[in-house]
Amino acid sequence: MQPATAFAGANALSPTKTQPAHGSEAATPAWIAFDRKVLRFNCHFDEEVHESQAEASRVRKCILYYYLEDDSMHICEPKVENSGLGIDPTKSAVYLKRHRVPKPEGDFFGATDLNIGLTIDIYGRVFTLTDCDGFTRTFLEKLGIEVPQAIEEPTDGYTSTRAAVKAHVGGRPRPVNDALIRGVEASLGASSHLLEGDRLGQFLDNDRKVLRFYMAWDDRKKLYGELRPFILHYYLADDHMEVVEVKTRNNGRDPFPLFVKKGKVYKNIDSYTSIDSPTTHTTQNIGRSGRVDPATMEAFTEADFGIGKSIKVLGVEFFIHACDEFTRDYYQKVHGVELVDVPFVYEEKWERPKMPVPPHTGWAAIGSEEDSLNSMQHLVPKPPKKDMKKLMDKDGVILRFLARFETEAEEDTGRQFVIKFYCANDTIAVFEPPLKNSGLVGGKFIERTTLRKAGTQKEDGTWEFWLQGDFYTGAVVELNGWRFVIYQADEYTLSYMEAHPEQHPMSSIAYICEQAAPVLAEKREALLADCAAADPSESGYVNYEPFQAALAGAGMELNDQVLVTLLRRFDVRKDGTVSYRELMNPDSNLWK
């Protein structure tokens, strides 16, 4: 803003005139100096009302804008709810378009003609200025004009009355409480239902709010009757209700969507096709014409429902035994009633007999056991699902073990077998290496396939299968009726098992430490003495055989795989000796 001392009066604000500034040869044009600078005043005028008995005059409040760049002004009227003036509710109405406004005496209004407390005559309408914004006050004071304090605007009597009615009824005035609204609506051809309760308010407050009750219809006293479940929906928005039948599979009934269609449901009505139907089977609410009189009928309301109550809908008696959480909270907040579900048992459902699963033939030509099982369970055979992630992650991972028969037969004591476990799909293959002069032809002993554990069949006919965690040194496995004792594994298998302790707990040093730590602490002195006797040089290392003898002497019987894991872990020098001092120290880093 330019200094106020550069202008002297309203003529200096004209867009066609400029006033030289002190100490300058040329003045800045007004359309540049006052670009987008506007004076803003609150004002009002009184308007006489001739067509209403409720008011003689009305106070209309406006806002006056004075544009300094061209001395133009315009007046707008803010929106007022339900004023009936035809103002767009989304924006303010323009009462006076922007232009230079002439005075009654012939000159144009200027900035010095506007101030709080003044009245101005604009085209025969008298406006009273009551307040201004901060920029306007500062601008006029720099021009040397004293600006009074804001004046309280007069209140409109009719608007105050409407506000009092609105506060009394708790919302906007309703036709029931406002004679003017009823008269206007009636003159426009509205129906008499406006004299009823506020249906629009009920709809807006309760839209999409539905009470849900669970009911039962016990018809077992009749021939072929039964106990059937139903659900009642009560819509708070319009006081309508519907009854839905709970569908069950193979119940022998047509799948009707609703038992009672959504709408007003009246009491003491056995059955009906419409309200005016003369065929309704009831002895109440019947007029002289033989038809049901809707005015005398009583419809169901939310107060008629509650857990433990029985209601009669179209001649059918239902027992309400439960509700959902929303309904429970609603009755607690609105009615102060706590709804507690009633234990209710419907008829026990019979279990469908299951077809027994026939045993697998074991023929490789007809596919695996899972493939054959799918062919039995589905009319159209489906291939068994495969774990593609497991196939990709463990492709080529094969665990190899040496095993022998668990038998005392002399002809089988010398036979050795190689068991291969394929981690990608949990399949197992067994080979017998050829042995010279044994009279047995070596080669494939068991075809590669998934093998189930004997005696593990479940109720659904499925079996438990051998997994990679079941194979370790010292384990006894029964494959296709042959019992094998695993006594050795190759280096790759041992390293893989130690690298995946979650699948091979016998190779987990943490699991072994957790199980063996209490025993080692109890027998530490005896084990150290036996190992020191086998270590005359006191190097802290003993061979495998003395170490195993010390464990046996202390009464510690360890699993073969656990012993192998300990020997591999504490063979620090990788020369077939065990660091027994590190093994006896539970705080050693080798235990971690």
Side-chain angles (χ1 to χ4, degrees):
M1 181 187 302
Q2 299 294 333
T5 56
F7 307 96
N11 291 333
L13 304 177
S14 175
T16 59
K17 298 180 181 181
T18 56
Q19 180 71 22
H22 294 286
S24 62
E25 298 180 355
T28 305
W31 59 275
I32 295 179
F34 299 107
D35 183 30
R36 292 183 295 181
K37 295 183 179 179
V38 184
L39 304 183
R40 185 176 185 270
F41 293 90
N42 293 344
C43 59
H44 70 273
F45 67 93
D46 294 337
E47 182 183 41
E48 294 183 357
V49 179
H50 303 284
E51 64 276 7
S52 175
Q53 298 179 357
E55 54 181 343
S57 64
R58 179 175 299 172
V59 178
R60 299 181 61 175
K61 301 177 182 180
C62 303
I63 300 176
L64 185 148
Y65 296 92
Y66 184 89
Y67 297 86
L68 296 173
E69 58 180 347
D70 57 0
D71 291 341
S72 62
M73 55 193 296
H74 92 275
I75 301 175
C76 68
E77 184 177 6
K79 63 178 181 179
V80 179
E81 184 180 3
N82 296 327
S83 64
L85 299 176
I87 300 176
D88 188 350
T90 62
K91 57 185 178 180
S92 301
V94 178
Y95 182 81
L96 180 69
K97 292 185 178 180
R98 178 180 174 180
H99 66 286
R100 297 188 71 192
V101 180
K103 299 179 181 179
E105 55 269 19
D107 197 6
F108 292 97
F109 281 101
T112 56
D113 299 321
L114 306 175
N115 202 347
I116 296 177
L118 298 181
T119 57
I120 57 176
D121 188 348
I122 299 178
Y123 299 120
R125 183 77 70 180
V126 179
F127 291 84
T128 302
L129 306 182
T130 58
D131 197 4
C132 66
D133 59 2
F135 170 77
T136 304
R137 184 179 297 273
T138 302
F139 182 82
L140 293 178
E141 289 177 353
K142 287 186 177 181
L143 290 179
I145 301 175
E146 183 180 356
V147 181
Q149 295 298 324
I151 301 175
E152 184 178 358
E153 294 183 344
T155 58
D156 182 63
Y158 180 73
T159 304
S160 301
T161 303
R162 288 181 58 88
V165 173
K166 184 175 182 180
H168 176 71
V169 301
R172 59 183 179 83
R174 297 181 298 175
V176 179
N177 304 322
D178 197 314
L180 177 61
I181 296 179
R182 289 202 303 270
V184 173
E185 294 291 344
S187 65
L188 296 177
S191 59
S192 60
H193 75 275
L194 291 172
L195 299 178
E196 300 177 359
D198 190 359
R199 294 186 177 181
L200 178 60
Q202 178 184 0
F203 173 78
L204 295 177
D205 295 338
N206 300 304
D207 185 26
R208 295 183 295 180
K209 294 182 180 180
V210 183
L211 304 180
R212 174 180 291 184
F213 294 93
Y214 300 95
M215 310 185 302
W217 176 18
D218 191 356
D219 195 35
R220 290 176 292 185
K221 294 182 179 180
K222 297 182 180 180
L223 183 63
Y224 305 120
E226 55 185 327
L227 184 63
R228 297 165 60 182
F230 291 84
I231 297 178
L232 184 147
H233 292 152
Y234 187 85
Y235 297 84
L236 296 173
D238 51 9
D239 294 329
H240 287 184
M241 60 177 284
E242 67 180 4
V243 179
V244 183
E245 182 177 0
V246 179
K247 301 177 183 178
T248 56
R249 297 179 59 185
N250 300 324
N251 59 3
R253 299 186 185 88
D254 293 333
F256 293 108
L258 297 174
F259 184 80
V260 177
K261 185 179 179 181
K262 178 183 176 182
K264 285 282 188 179
V265 179
Y266 297 92
K267 303 177 183 179
N268 302 323
I269 300 296
D270 292 338
S271 63
Y272 63 84
T273 56
S274 66
I275 293 180
D276 295 330
S277 174
T279 61
T280 53
H281 303 290
T282 177
T283 59
Q284 302 180 13
N285 307 317
I286 302 296
R288 295 182 178 179
S289 61
R291 299 179 181 270
V292 178
D293 186 6
T296 61
M297 291 192 301
E298 183 182 359
F300 281 100
T301 63
E302 60 187 74
D304 298 322
F305 307 118
I307 295 180
K309 294 183 177 180
S310 296
I311 60 173
K312 194 172 184 180
V313 180
L314 303 184
V316 177
E317 187 171 354
F318 295 95
F319 175 75
I320 303 176
H321 60 85
C323 65
D324 61 358
E325 289 300 326
F326 171 77
T327 305
R328 199 184 317 276
D329 296 340
Y330 179 83
Y331 272 81
Q332 179 68 32
K333 295 177 181 178
V334 177
H335 300 282
V337 178
E338 184 177 358
L339 300 180
V340 181
D341 294 348
V342 176
F344 197 85
V345 180
Y346 292 93
E347 294 182 355
E348 297 183 359
K349 298 181 180 180
W350 56 275
E351 294 185 1
R352 179 178 299 179
K354 298 181 180 180
M355 181 181 298
V357 179
H360 186 245
T361 59
W363 292 355
I366 62 174
S368 63
E369 186 168 354
E370 295 88 348
D371 196 6
S372 301
L373 184 62
N374 285 340
S375 300
M376 190 275 297
Q377 293 177 342
H378 302 281
L379 182 62
V380 178
K382 299 180 180 179
K385 295 182 179 180
K386 297 181 180 180
D387 190 348
M388 300 305 299
K389 185 177 184 302
K390 185 177 181 180
L391 287 173
M392 296 175 62
D393 294 344
K394 297 186 177 182
D395 184 28
V397 179
I398 304 174
L399 307 183
R400 299 175 180 86
F401 303 90
L402 283 179
R404 61 175 178 268
F405 278 142
E406 187 188 35
T407 179
E408 297 180 357
E410 183 178 355
E411 61 274 13
D412 293 332
T413 54
R415 301 178 65 178
Q416 295 182 348
F417 299 89
V418 177
I419 299 177
K420 292 185 177 182
F421 188 90
Y422 299 84
C423 297
N425 55 3
D426 297 335
T427 55
I428 303 172
V430 181
F431 301 88
E432 183 177 9
L435 184 62
K436 292 183 178 181
N437 300 324
S438 62
L440 299 173
V441 179
K444 188 183 298 182
F445 188 79
I446 296 179
E447 182 75 25
R448 176 182 174 181
T449 184
T450 55
L451 299 177
R452 61 190 182 189
K453 298 180 181 179
T456 60
Q457 188 176 14
K458 302 178 184 178
E459 295 181 359
D460 57 356
T462 59
W463 294 74
E464 293 184 8
F465 291 86
W466 291 100
L467 303 177
Q468 63 183 77
D470 300 323
F471 293 85
Y472 52 86
T473 305
V476 178
V477 295
E478 183 176 347
L479 308 177
N480 281 357
W482 302 92
R483 294 179 61 85
F484 296 91
V485 179
I486 300 176
Y487 64 89
Q488 189 176 347
D490 61 4
E491 179 65 24
Y492 173 81
T493 301
L494 294 175
S495 300
Y496 181 86
M497 294 168 65
E498 293 172 358
H500 299 80
E502 66 280 356
Q503 298 176 351
H504 302 275
M506 296 298 178
S507 298
S508 171
I509 195 66
Y511 175 77
I512 296 174
C513 178
E514 180 183 355
Q515 299 295 326
V519 182
L520 291 175
E522 179 183 355
K523 302 182 178 182
R524 183 173 182 275
E525 299 298 332
L527 289 175
L528 285 176
D530 293 343
C531 292
D535 182 22
S537 60
E538 299 183 357
S539 62
Y541 297 90
V542 295
N543 294 330
Y544 289 168
E545 292 78 7
F547 178 72
Q548 297 181 33
L551 292 177
M556 295 183 61
E557 297 182 359
L558 300 179
N559 183 278
D560 292 349
Q561 184 62 45
V562 174
L563 184 59
V564 170
T565 303
L566 289 176
L567 296 178
R568 287 170 54 84
R569 183 72 171 183
F570 291 93
D571 187 1
V572 181
R573 299 186 299 187
K574 306 300 180 183
D575 58 353
T577 58
V578 180
S579 177
Y580 62 89
R581 293 176 182 172
E582 293 286 344
L583 189 144
M584 300 301 170
N585 183 13
D587 298 329
S588 174
N589 293 330
L590 296 178
W591 283 108
K592 300 178 182 178

